[in-house]
Amino acid sequence: MNEELITQVGRHLRSWVTGRPPTGDTPGPETATVVLEDAASLEALLGSDVVGPRTLVLAPSVQDRQDSGSGATVVGYEGSLSGAEGDASIGDVLFVQSQDYGVSPYMSLLGTTLVRVAGDTDLEMFLADADAARTEGRFAPFAVSPAVQIADLSALGARVPGDGPGTRLYVDRDGGVSVSPQGLRLGTAGDSAVDLHSAWQRLDAASDPGGAVPLGAAVSEEVRGPAVRRRPWLARYLAALDLLRDLQTRGITEPRVSGFGHRLVPGLGDVDGALDASDPEAPFLCWTSEKAYVRVAGADRTFQLGRRAAEITEMLLVLGSPEAVLERVERNADSSVSGPVDRSAVEWVLAFFADKGVSLVPGAPVLGTAV
């Protein structure tokens, strides 16, 4: 297996697990990634319009090849990619382990690990960890490991545009088709792309909030639906896990994340309706005892800031506008800020991010020229 194919497989496997479209993928009529539990369904799959030139098919114990009919790339693997507790190897180069969410705190991470919510108990443990992070700033150590990919994000409250049959499919031993091993059945290997998309849309529309399909065969919707509705901030929590994994790869461990049990400016902890409370697209501010960082969600860009600039950034993220920041300062509401906060300081922070192409506060104009 050459290096280019290894990179392609890794990108598609992450997409198949999480539901996020593969990085750099151009949407098309066919599915981006299909995993088969049994190669017996491969012929029916390749004969359908579900696969095409942009499709990567992972099937057990088959030879790597480019399918001449569909143009799909077929790659073999050994082991299991669907079991809650199993291991798989791809080309003797990529090694993946899978485990239930509930056992993950007690397991060693030996490499790339797919963590699945495989039942109601797993979901309850996921929600307990999310609540602890939100209220206390305490994140489960395994969940922020760069080795971990949490599966089926859209079912856990994340906003995942593109999740569905156009991004991923799973074919079980009996030929049943779903988007994940825990997902509701959409059809049978060989069914048309139109039929699978129609089934996805119908089943997704029947859940409130949407997202039931990827976990519907394993998790009770009577449990999942209300739990997600009560926590509109779950998408931001899952985005915070991405942030913390990325920082760990840079050697930055155990930072505090603004809005998760802590604020850099303590007085902001009492602000109701903080603008960064639930929006996963809002930038993140986090800090250690030595440095502060701002992460732009979805852009894989991280900026290091000095203490006072970080405090002003947090005020902007929480209060939502330069005017609100200046009004709060005028009321002497935040005496814990490390330095003076005036119009020129706020302008400087806004201009710094604007110069980097980042809208720190959506819709808020820069008040003047930075000093």
Side-chain angles (χ1 to χ4, degrees), residues 145-160:
S145 166
V148 163
Q149 293 285 337
I150 295 179
D152 306 315
L153 297 177
S154 62
L156 301 176
R159 299 176 191 173
V160 189

PDB file of all heavy atoms in Angstrom, residues 145-160:
ATOM      1  N   SER A 145      -7.865  12.571  23.898  1.00  0.00           N
ATOM      2  CA  SER A 145      -6.654  11.978  23.346  1.00  0.00           C
ATOM      3  C   SER A 145      -6.658  12.117  21.823  1.00  0.00           C
ATOM      4  O   SER A 145      -7.672  11.830  21.170  1.00  0.00           O
ATOM      5  CB  SER A 145      -6.561  10.496  23.709  1.00  0.00           C
ATOM      6  OG  SER A 145      -5.558   9.849  22.922  1.00  0.00           O
ATOM      7  N   PRO A 146      -5.556  12.527  21.222  1.00  0.00           N
ATOM      8  CA  PRO A 146      -5.500  12.627  19.757  1.00  0.00           C
ATOM      9  C   PRO A 146      -5.718  11.297  19.051  1.00  0.00           C
ATOM     10  O   PRO A 146      -6.004  11.276  17.846  1.00  0.00           O
ATOM     11  CB  PRO A 146      -4.080  13.160  19.500  1.00  0.00           C
ATOM     12  CG  PRO A 146      -3.691  13.844  20.764  1.00  0.00           C
ATOM     13  CD  PRO A 146      -4.331  13.038  21.859  1.00  0.00           C
ATOM     14  N   ALA A 147      -5.589  10.175  19.779  1.00  0.00           N
ATOM     15  CA  ALA A 147      -5.781   8.856  19.170  1.00  0.00           C
ATOM     16  C   ALA A 147      -7.248   8.512  18.984  1.00  0.00           C
ATOM     17  O   ALA A 147      -7.581   7.576  18.252  1.00  0.00           O
ATOM     18  CB  ALA A 147      -5.110   7.780  20.031  1.00  0.00           C
ATOM     19  N   VAL A 148      -8.149   9.265  19.623  1.00  0.00           N
ATOM     20  CA  VAL A 148      -9.568   8.890  19.684  1.00  0.00           C
ATOM     21  C   VAL A 148     -10.396   9.588  18.615  1.00  0.00           C
ATOM     22  O   VAL A 148     -10.221  10.784  18.350  1.00  0.00           O
ATOM     23  CB  VAL A 148     -10.129   9.205  21.089  1.00  0.00           C
ATOM     24  CG1 VAL A 148     -11.657   9.230  21.090  1.00  0.00           C
ATOM     25  CG2 VAL A 148      -9.627   8.172  22.090  1.00  0.00           C
ATOM     26  N   GLN A 149     -11.296   8.817  18.012  1.00  0.00           N
ATOM     27  CA  GLN A 149     -12.354   9.358  17.168  1.00  0.00           C
ATOM     28  C   GLN A 149     -13.682   8.891  17.761  1.00  0.00           C
ATOM     29  O   GLN A 149     -13.938   7.685  17.840  1.00  0.00           O
ATOM     30  CB  GLN A 149     -12.231   8.862  15.721  1.00  0.00           C
ATOM     31  CG  GLN A 149     -11.016   9.363  14.977  1.00  0.00           C
ATOM     32  CD  GLN A 149     -11.159  10.821  14.569  1.00  0.00           C
ATOM     33  OE1 GLN A 149     -12.259  11.355  14.449  1.00  0.00           O
ATOM     34  NE2 GLN A 149     -10.033  11.482  14.363  1.00  0.00           N
ATOM     35  N   ILE A 150     -14.512   9.824  18.216  1.00  0.00           N
ATOM     36  CA  ILE A 150     -15.840   9.468  18.717  1.00  0.00           C
ATOM     37  C   ILE A 150     -16.783   9.334  17.527  1.00  0.00           C
ATOM     38  O   ILE A 150     -16.835  10.198  16.651  1.00  0.00           O
ATOM     39  CB  ILE A 150     -16.349  10.512  19.717  1.00  0.00           C
ATOM     40  CG1 ILE A 150     -15.450  10.513  20.959  1.00  0.00           C
ATOM     41  CG2 ILE A 150     -17.799  10.230  20.114  1.00  0.00           C
ATOM     42  CD1 ILE A 150     -15.838  11.525  22.008  1.00  0.00           C
ATOM     43  N   ALA A 151     -17.512   8.243  17.492  1.00  0.00           N
ATOM     44  CA  ALA A 151     -18.335   7.907  16.332  1.00  0.00           C
ATOM     45  C   ALA A 151     -19.688   8.604  16.361  1.00  0.00           C
ATOM     46  O   ALA A 151     -20.198   8.971  17.419  1.00  0.00           O
ATOM     47  CB  ALA A 151     -18.536   6.389  16.275  1.00  0.00           C
ATOM     48  N   ASP A 152     -20.250   8.775  15.159  1.00  0.00           N
ATOM     49  CA  ASP A 152     -21.651   9.175  14.973  1.00  0.00           C
ATOM     50  C   ASP A 152     -21.986  10.489  15.659  1.00  0.00           C
ATOM     51  O   ASP A 152     -22.917  10.599  16.458  1.00  0.00           O
ATOM     52  CB  ASP A 152     -22.583   8.059  15.467  1.00  0.00           C
ATOM     53  CG  ASP A 152     -22.263   6.718  14.811  1.00  0.00           C
ATOM     54  OD1 ASP A 152     -22.062   6.695  13.584  1.00  0.00           O
ATOM     55  OD2 ASP A 152     -22.196   5.704  15.534  1.00  0.00           O
ATOM     56  N   LEU A 153     -21.221  11.518  15.320  1.00  0.00           N
ATOM     57  CA  LEU A 153     -21.319  12.799  16.015  1.00  0.00           C
ATOM     58  C   LEU A 153     -22.688  13.456  15.872  1.00  0.00           C
ATOM     59  O   LEU A 153     -23.168  14.098  16.801  1.00  0.00           O
ATOM     60  CB  LEU A 153     -20.230  13.741  15.501  1.00  0.00           C
ATOM     61  CG  LEU A 153     -18.785  13.299  15.758  1.00  0.00           C
ATOM     62  CD1 LEU A 153     -17.810  14.278  15.128  1.00  0.00           C
ATOM     63  CD2 LEU A 153     -18.517  13.167  17.257  1.00  0.00           C
ATOM     64  N   SER A 154     -23.318  13.316  14.713  1.00  0.00           N
ATOM     65  CA  SER A 154     -24.610  13.982  14.513  1.00  0.00           C
ATOM     66  C   SER A 154     -25.666  13.448  15.469  1.00  0.00           C
ATOM     67  O   SER A 154     -26.593  14.174  15.852  1.00  0.00           O
ATOM     68  CB  SER A 154     -25.075  13.845  13.064  1.00  0.00           C
ATOM     69  OG  SER A 154     -25.271  12.493  12.715  1.00  0.00           O
ATOM     70  N   ALA A 155     -25.557  12.184  15.867  1.00  0.00           N
ATOM     71  CA  ALA A 155     -26.516  11.610  16.809  1.00  0.00           C
ATOM     72  C   ALA A 155     -26.263  12.089  18.227  1.00  0.00           C
ATOM     73  O   ALA A 155     -27.139  11.976  19.086  1.00  0.00           O
ATOM     74  CB  ALA A 155     -26.460  10.082  16.762  1.00  0.00           C
ATOM     75  N   LEU A 156     -25.068  12.643  18.475  1.00  0.00           N
ATOM     76  CA  LEU A 156     -24.701  13.099  19.818  1.00  0.00           C
ATOM     77  C   LEU A 156     -24.850  14.603  19.987  1.00  0.00           C
ATOM     78  O   LEU A 156     -24.400  15.166  20.972  1.00  0.00           O
ATOM     79  CB  LEU A 156     -23.259  12.678  20.123  1.00  0.00           C
ATOM     80  CG  LEU A 156     -22.994  11.171  20.068  1.00  0.00           C
ATOM     81  CD1 LEU A 156     -21.521  10.880  20.297  1.00  0.00           C
ATOM     82  CD2 LEU A 156     -23.855  10.428  21.072  1.00  0.00           C
ATOM     83  N   GLY A 157     -25.478  15.253  19.024  1.00  0.00           N
ATOM     84  CA  GLY A 157     -25.756  16.676  19.154  1.00  0.00           C
ATOM     85  C   GLY A 157     -24.884  17.572  18.317  1.00  0.00           C
ATOM     86  O   GLY A 157     -25.068  18.795  18.337  1.00  0.00           O
ATOM     87  N   ALA A 158     -23.909  17.025  17.586  1.00  0.00           N
ATOM     88  CA  ALA A 158     -23.038  17.859  16.761  1.00  0.00           C
ATOM     89  C   ALA A 158     -23.758  18.291  15.487  1.00  0.00           C
ATOM     90  O   ALA A 158     -24.679  17.612  15.019  1.00  0.00           O
ATOM     91  CB  ALA A 158     -21.760  17.106  16.398  1.00  0.00           C
ATOM     92  N   ARG A 159     -23.320  19.409  14.942  1.00  0.00           N
ATOM     93  CA  ARG A 159     -23.815  19.839  13.635  1.00  0.00           C
ATOM     94  C   ARG A 159     -22.866  19.273  12.588  1.00  0.00           C
ATOM     95  O   ARG A 159     -21.708  19.673  12.520  1.00  0.00           O
ATOM     96  CB  ARG A 159     -23.861  21.361  13.550  1.00  0.00           C
ATOM     97  CG  ARG A 159     -24.786  21.992  14.589  1.00  0.00           C
ATOM     98  CD  ARG A 159     -24.730  23.515  14.522  1.00  0.00           C
ATOM     99  NE  ARG A 159     -25.404  24.135  15.651  1.00  0.00           N
ATOM    100  CZ  ARG A 159     -25.382  25.434  15.911  1.00  0.00           C
ATOM    101  NH1 ARG A 159     -24.703  26.254  15.102  1.00  0.00           N
ATOM    102  NH2 ARG A 159     -26.009  25.923  16.953  1.00  0.00           N
ATOM    103  N   VAL A 160     -23.357  18.337  11.798  1.00  0.00           N
ATOM    104  CA  VAL A 160     -22.509  17.650  10.821  1.00  0.00           C
ATOM    105  C   VAL A 160     -23.171  17.753   9.453  1.00  0.00           C
ATOM    106  O   VAL A 160     -23.789  16.803   8.977  1.00  0.00           O
ATOM    107  CB  VAL A 160     -22.277  16.180  11.207  1.00  0.00           C
ATOM    108  CG1 VAL A 160     -21.222  15.550  10.291  1.00  0.00           C
ATOM    109  CG2 VAL A 160     -21.851  16.053  12.657  1.00  0.00           C
TER     110      VAL A 160
END
